[in-house]
Amino acid sequence: MLGFPPSTEFNKRIPKQKFYENAAVPAAVKRLFADQLRCIYWRNKLAVSTLNLTAGERVTEIEIFELCLTEPKLDEAVLRQIDSEIPYHILFVLSYENKVQAWIGCKDTSANSSAKVSRYLHTDWMPETELSLAISGLSLEAVYDGLVRQIAQLQGESWSAAYSIAENIQRSAEREKLQKQIAALENKIRKEKQFNRQVEMNAELKQLKKNLEQLTKEEL
């Protein structure tokens, strides 16, 4: 699974209670840990000490956590809680009945010590023998960016190499917003009885589609 170098292997089981024993964690999140997780393993550590790479200001370590699930789904609140407790970047591998998913958060640790994840990307479920991600680049920041882009591609995201991860995420959000607006407006047009109102909404729809087309062209 993953195919990372043996030098990065850690394989240490972590009590899941470690991530929610703080009294400030909401009871609902604690229940998710109890109901949806069987166990957590710290599988790999990508760091200067385990790879011949340099660290950066933004990424100094990348941890690989395997989350063994009780069912084939996991609430994002669990990932966000773990990410909030760990100051490093994390690649999650969710496992259930010999199948796995890779999840990674677009995590910003530069602003302050309270790391924030703007969005999670993930693969589909696949046999654990088929999950393989490449470690590429000369720094841990390059490795992390590469992992994010690989998982984004596996998720089907249309990302451009000309833009940074943050820019691609913003553009993806803009594209999703436009697509939702177009779908909602098309639904309204189908239900509208007044011709004048239909004309107005069709003009608005044309502009939204033009904006989406322009955004897509810029990513090619």
Side-chain angles (χ1 to χ4, degrees), residues 181-209:
Q181 289 176 331
I182 289 170
L185 192 54
E186 287 176 336
N187 187 48
K188 285 183 179 180
I189 291 172
R190 285 193 293 268
K191 296 178 180 179
E192 182 57 54
K193 303 299 183 183
Q194 296 184 20
F195 177 74
N196 289 343
R197 183 59 183 143
Q198 284 182 341
V199 172
E200 292 176 0
M201 289 192 292
N202 272 306
E204 183 181 353
L205 178 63
K206 183 178 180 180
Q207 184 60 51
L208 288 174
K209 288 184 175 181

Side-chain angles (χ1 to χ4, degrees), residues 140-159:
L140 287 168
E141 288 187 358
V143 169
Y144 169 73
D145 289 353
L147 291 172
V148 172
R149 288 181 183 276
Q150 288 176 73
I151 292 175
Q153 184 177 14
L154 290 170
Q155 183 174 300
E157 292 280 350
S158 299
W159 280 17

Side-chain angles (χ1 to χ4, degrees), residues 62-112:
I62 305 169
E63 320 301 348
I64 289 77
F65 287 172
E66 180 183 1
L67 277 54
C68 307
L69 309 186
T70 60
E71 55 184 335
K73 67 176 183 178
L74 182 69
D75 195 295
E76 271 192 22
V78 173
L79 302 181
R80 291 189 180 277
Q81 177 58 30
I82 296 175
D83 258 317
S84 71
E85 295 288 332
I86 303 294
Y88 304 117
H89 293 72
I90 305 173
L91 168 64
F92 295 98
V93 178
L94 278 52
S95 63
Y96 179 76
E97 293 187 350
N98 298 320
K99 289 192 175 183
V100 294
Q101 279 186 320
W103 284 67
I104 195 164
C106 300
K107 191 172 188 176
D108 179 15
T109 57
S110 59
N112 50 53

Side-chain angles (χ1 to χ4, degrees), residues 14-32:
I14 305 174
K16 58 184 181 180
Q17 294 87 349
K18 287 287 186 182
F19 296 105
Y20 64 87
E21 58 188 3
N22 189 319
V25 178
V29 175
K30 293 181 179 180
R31 176 54 58 187
L32 291 173

Side-chain angles (χ1 to χ4, degrees), residues 40-60:
I40 301 174
Y41 286 96
W42 186 355
R43 291 299 186 192
N44 302 77
K45 180 167 99 170
L46 309 185
V48 174
S49 60
T50 63
L51 291 169
N52 187 24
L53 297 173
T54 60
E57 294 183 4
R58 185 168 55 91
V59 183
T60 56

Side-chain angles (χ1 to χ4, degrees), residues 116-173:
K116 294 182 179 180
V117 174
S118 60
R119 180 182 180 185
Y120 282 99
L121 302 165
H122 64 88
T123 69
D124 290 332
W125 285 102
M126 66 182 73
E128 59 184 23
T129 55
E130 294 183 9
L131 179 59
S132 179
L133 297 171
I135 294 177
S136 59
L138 300 178
S139 69
L140 287 168
E141 288 187 358
V143 169
Y144 169 73
D145 289 353
L147 291 172
V148 172
R149 288 181 183 276
Q150 288 176 73
I151 292 175
Q153 184 177 14
L154 290 170
Q155 183 174 300
E157 292 280 350
S158 299
W159 280 17
S160 171
Y163 297 104
S164 68
I165 287 176
E167 289 170 333
N168 273 301
I169 289 172
Q170 181 180 356
R171 296 174 73 83
S172 292

